Amino acid sequence: MSEISRDTLMAYADGALSPAERAEVDAYLADRPDAATEVALMQRQANAIRTLYGPVAAEPVPPRLSVDKLLQTQQKRRSRFWTSAAAAVVLVGLGLGSGWLLRGQADTPGIADQLIADAVSAHTVYVLENRHAVEVNGADSEHLSSWLSNRLQTTLAMPDLSASGLTFLGGRLLPAPNVPGGRAAQLMYEDTTGARLTLYVTPSPGPNTPSYELANLGLDTALFWADDVISCTITAPYPADRLQAIAKTVFSQLNPSGPDYRT
Amino acid sequence: MVDILHEIEAAVPALRRYARALTRDFDRADDLVQDCLERALAKRGLFRPKGPVRAWLFTILVNVHRNSLRGTRRRGEVVDLADIPELSVPAPQPGHMALAELDRAIGTLPNEQKEALLLVTLEGLPYAEAAQILDIPLGTLMSRLGRARATLKTMTGTPSEPHLRTVK
């Protein structure tokens, strides 16, 4: 009888084989006590895991996890969004606007790295938030966009990444100690699996900024890009190639009049 | 729309069970499930039934959990293994020692292996569905399962087999 792989034995133990494959393994195990012991151990592990944690599913569900209750809070929250939205739009614009006027004063060598670090810190903090992930709801993107465009004297749109499967959640104002003006805008997107991507946009930190940098940070990848007008860092838990594909869409939409994005 | 709400509600006990096993912490587990449900409810209009609602919810839960791990690492809240209270351990019974040992062993597995092992064993999901939830190829899923099982075997040891047998 031919040798049967460990993976097949494991699939057998997990009940993942077809009846025909199962019969084949049954026959094999009949005269292989070692393999039979191995399979039995894997099944015992699975049984023990179910014994350990299985009873959780029978516990009463706490009220805070009631779907009805969560729906109600969500609807209440939605109506409160608009109050803070207007103020936040003005602040984001002020930050970028004054940054634009003061640009060129802080072009230290490691500026790209500092901006990437700021962007990633902000990403880490806010992607965890459900209720306070953004200050300005994504529904207000037209207002946000036109205001920023006026301030930066260029066409700056809120990128639409729906073609990449990402929904615009909204934006917020953040301190950015490393750029003139000291403020940055963070725009947040989410895919259908709940993974989140952020854009960290600042006025251009100066003429000596590297135009492109990619940083791999374990779970996240960050991609930095700058031109004469703005810098943008994209952070997401995606592999580099996927991020680069998204980056092309972002850059062409953020600044269509600017030079083409190159990797 | 009503249907999907019912399906979400029906999945809550399984989500809690999976979250509890992933975190081995009562409150953290329910926090994750709450995050997961809030995101799912906010996005339910976007859900296109490509697969079961349940798999979609598990995908969100896995992502929320990965995010929370990243947050923990950044804040540097590393807890010594010996200080971890033995949560989720049932009252003393035959096999209790072996189970407590297994619980601790599962806690030491790398997250990617734990995610895979618990989807297949605890939740009883088919390989293909587990691989889809974790967004990895089938081969990767199987190698993670294999490594997780080998580690558990080394850590809990074969001498505990007779104990484990009593708790089936």
Side-chain angles (χ1 to χ4, degrees), chain A residues 1-31:
Chain A
M1 175 158 313
S2 65
E3 200 59 30
I4 284 187
S5 74
R6 281 190 62 85
D7 276 0
T8 309
L9 289 179
M10 186 169 72
Y12 174 89
D14 288 328
L17 295 182
S18 67
E21 292 167 319
R22 242 189 123 69
E24 199 182 324
V25 178
D26 276 331
Y28 174 83
L29 292 177
D31 32 282

Side-chain angles (χ1 to χ4, degrees), chain A residues 16-54:
Chain A
L17 295 182
S18 67
E21 292 167 319
R22 242 189 123 69
E24 199 182 324
V25 178
D26 276 331
Y28 174 83
L29 292 177
D31 32 282
R32 303 287 177 109
D34 284 3
T37 309
E38 193 70 17
V39 168
L41 174 69
M42 289 193 278
Q43 285 170 333
R44 270 199 307 276
Q45 281 177 341
N47 282 333
I49 289 170
R50 282 189 287 269
T51 308
L52 257 179
Y53 309 113

Side-chain angles (χ1 to χ4, degrees), chain A residues 44-53, chain B residues 17-24 65 81 84 88 98-119 121-122 148-149 151-153 155-156:
Chain A
R44 270 199 307 276
Q45 281 177 341
N47 282 333
I49 289 170
R50 282 189 287 269
T51 308
L52 257 179
Y53 309 113
Chain B
R17 172 175 61 202
Y18 184 64
R20 185 85 61 86
L22 274 182
T23 59
R24 303 163 63 247
H65 179 241
L81 195 60
I84 296 172
S88 310
L99 284 177
E101 203 179 10
L102 178 71
D103 181 46
R104 271 195 302 273
I106 288 173
T108 66
L109 291 177
N111 185 54
E112 55 173 36
Q113 292 178 25
K114 199 158 46 173
E115 288 171 345
L117 180 73
L118 293 171
L119 279 182
T121 58
L122 181 61
R149 283 181 150 131
T151 310
L152 292 187
K153 186 180 160 188
M155 289 191 65
T156 56

Side-chain angles (χ1 to χ4, degrees), chain A residues 10-11 14 41 44-45 50-51 53 59-60 64 74 124 127-128 130-131 190 192-194 220, chain B residues 13 16 20 30-31 34-35 38-39 43 56 63 67 70 74 103 121 127 142 149 153 161 167:
Chain A
M10 186 169 72
D14 288 328
L41 174 69
R44 270 199 307 276
Q45 281 177 341
R50 282 189 287 269
T51 308
Y53 309 113
E59 291 173 9
R64 68 168 169 137
Q74 215 162 57
T124 310
V127 295
L128 291 179
N130 256 348
R131 302 186 182 179
E190 188 173 72
T192 52
T193 70
D220 288 318
Chain B
R16 293 186 76 216
R20 185 85 61 86
D30 280 352
D31 284 350
Q34 187 175 344
D35 271 13
E38 283 175 350
R39 290 191 191 193
K43 298 222 145 295
W56 175 60
N63 278 327
N67 280 346
R70 178 171 34 202
R74 287 202 161 248
D103 181 46
T121 58
Y127 284 178
M142 294 190 71
R149 283 181 150 131
K153 186 180 160 188
E161 280 175 33
V167 300

Side-chain angles (χ1 to χ4, degrees), chain B residues 50-106:
Chain B
K50 272 182 296 186
V53 172
R54 198 181 138 108
W56 175 60
L57 291 169
F58 271 100
T59 309
I60 299 177
L61 183 62
V62 161
N63 278 327
V64 167
H65 179 241
R66 287 177 184 169
N67 280 346
S68 80
L69 285 183
R70 178 171 34 202
T72 315
R73 217 174 28 230
R74 287 202 161 248
R75 287 194 301 271
E77 286 168 17
V78 178
V79 181
D80 192 274
L81 195 60
D83 297 338
I84 296 172
E86 291 171 23
L87 295 158
S88 310
V89 176
Q93 53 173 295
H96 167 61
M97 289 311 293
L99 284 177
E101 203 179 10
L102 178 71
D103 181 46
R104 271 195 302 273
I106 288 173

Side-chain angles (χ1 to χ4, degrees), chain A residues 70-228:
Chain A
L70 288 169
L71 268 182
Q72 282 168 18
T73 16
Q74 215 162 57
Q75 274 147 13
K76 261 187 240 155
R77 218 157 42 222
R78 203 159 286 157
S79 57
R80 252 185 268 130
F81 247 126
W82 298 100
T83 331
S84 55
V89 167
V90 172
L91 287 174
V92 169
L94 273 177
L96 289 179
S98 51
W100 166 245
L101 293 172
L102 295 171
R103 74 196 183 282
Q105 289 180 2
D107 46 332
T108 51
I111 187 72
D113 292 336
Q114 286 169 16
L115 287 175
I116 292 172
D118 291 345
V120 172
S121 307
H123 176 86
T124 310
V125 169
Y126 290 109
V127 295
L128 291 179
E129 293 290 337
N130 256 348
R131 302 186 182 179
H132 310 292
V134 295
E135 275 180 317
V136 188
N137 194 324
D140 215 10
S141 69
E142 274 179 37
H143 186 184
L144 190 61
S145 169
S146 60
W147 214 90
L148 291 177
S149 300
N150 287 340
R151 278 289 155 176
L152 297 180
Q153 300 178 334
T154 180
T155 314
L156 188 75
M158 298 297 101
D160 175 6
L161 302 182
S162 52
S164 310
L166 291 153
T167 319
F168 186 43
L169 294 182
R172 66 161 63 236
L173 175 73
L174 289 168
N178 296 314
V179 289
R183 289 189 175 120
Q186 184 192 53
L187 307 178
M188 194 182 293
Y189 297 79
E190 188 173 72
D191 71 19
T192 52
T193 70
R196 288 175 171 182
L197 174 144
T198 58
L199 306 182
Y200 182 87
V201 186
T202 72
S204 176
N208 297 331
T209 312
S211 59
Y212 173 85
E213 248 182 80
L214 186 70
N216 205 321
L217 308 136
L219 285 170
D220 288 318
T221 309
L223 193 153
F224 170 89
W225 169 87
D227 66 10
D228 297 342

